[in-house]
Amino acid sequence: LQKLEAWSEDAASLEAYAAIKRANKCDLAQYISNVCQVRVSPDALFDVQIKRLHEYKRQHLNLLHILKLYRDLLHGRQPMDFQRVVIFGAKAAPEYYLAKEIIHGINLLAQRINSDHRIKDALKVIFLPNYNITLAGKIIPAADLSEQISTAGKEASGTGNMKLGLNGACTIGTLDGANVEILEKVGKDNIFIFGHTVEELEQLSREGYCPLNWYEKDPVLKSLLDWMDSDFFLDHGHNPMKVIRSSLLQGGDPFFVLADFEKYCTAQKKVEETYRNRNKWLKMTLLNTARLGYFSSDRTIRDYVQDIWRL
């Protein structure tokens, strides 16, 4: 795979690489149309967060950013000519109450956004049902952006980010788990790193982390959280957004969602700017594939054979 790097400046090779990615995006777009009855453009940025749904994975940080994009589109602060499709796929334990509320919240927000003709096709949200390995095989080769936004220090490793990177998705992520190794392999110019470090979060904890302080000092964040408390998100008499909001403000925000929100939005803005520069984006994606061969199963099993099993 490293030999691909020699072609990262070659226009014809980049176009051939782009054609493969686009074909995979067309396949996934067709699947989304069939299963979710939502039409998405394969030319949009496919922004993907898959695997386990858990507070430490911070799908609710992603949800807050979607809310911001939606509101900015409605108020003319976000250009309509940039198209983003945010794709979720996940499962959670059936007794995990907050996870179910987050799933409900994402699906409810998707309904509101996908049926709002005022924003045209600038933003779509898809929660693909029944996430499994077969479905992952459709999503991963079609992903442009890989969401690896768990709280720094909370996830020991990660294989989803490796698979997505190998398939030419650029990672947006914290310095957590395998993101650290991916950063070392692809280089800081080919990944979107954001957020507080482990040491900074430990310092915040020592000082007595108070999510209400972040709520009060950030007017954008405050307005979004207040919106979540409104009747706009009522669904048959229940508002899942209100439950999520409560977990952040009254529940102590144990995974520092509010502390990382502004940094996450800044990184997402950089993603948008980079995706608009097609050649730069294509080179980044090709270099992700070329430089992440280290994470292949072949190398992993070989290391186990030699160093652990000693066969």
Side-chain angles (χ1 to χ4, degrees), residues 4 82 236:
L4 279 173
F82 185 81
H236 297 91

Side-chain angles (χ1 to χ4, degrees), residues 185-200:
K185 297 296 181 186
V186 303
K188 61 181 177 60
D189 294 332
N190 299 301
I191 190 171
F192 301 95
I193 294 293
F194 76 95
H196 289 82
T197 63
V198 173
E199 294 75 21
E200 289 168 342

Side-chain angles (χ1 to χ4, degrees), residues 32 36-40 66 70 84-86 106-127:
I32 289 169
C36 303
Q37 287 76 54
V38 179
R39 295 189 67 178
V40 301
I66 296 167
Y70 182 32
R84 182 190 294 256
V85 180
V86 187
I106 293 169
N107 277 285
L108 182 59
L109 182 56
Q111 289 172 18
R112 299 286 187 270
I113 289 173
N114 297 343
S115 61
D116 194 333
H117 300 297
R118 293 174 295 174
I119 62 170
K120 301 175 183 176
D121 293 324
L123 181 63
K124 298 287 185 185
V125 180
I126 306 295
F127 199 115

Side-chain angles (χ1 to χ4, degrees), residues 9 15 24 27 45 50 57 78 89 94 102 114 118 126 130 140 179 185 225 233-234 255 266 274 285 296 301-302:
E9 301 286 352
E15 287 302 327
N24 291 327
D27 287 346
L45 173 78
I50 52 174
K57 291 276 193 187
Q78 172 72 14
I102 293 171
N114 297 343
R118 293 174 295 174
I126 306 295
N130 196 30
I140 290 171
N179 291 348
K185 297 296 181 186
L225 287 163
F233 297 107
L234 272 179
F255 296 96
T266 300
T274 308
T285 58
S296 72
I301 298 303
R302 188 166 62 247

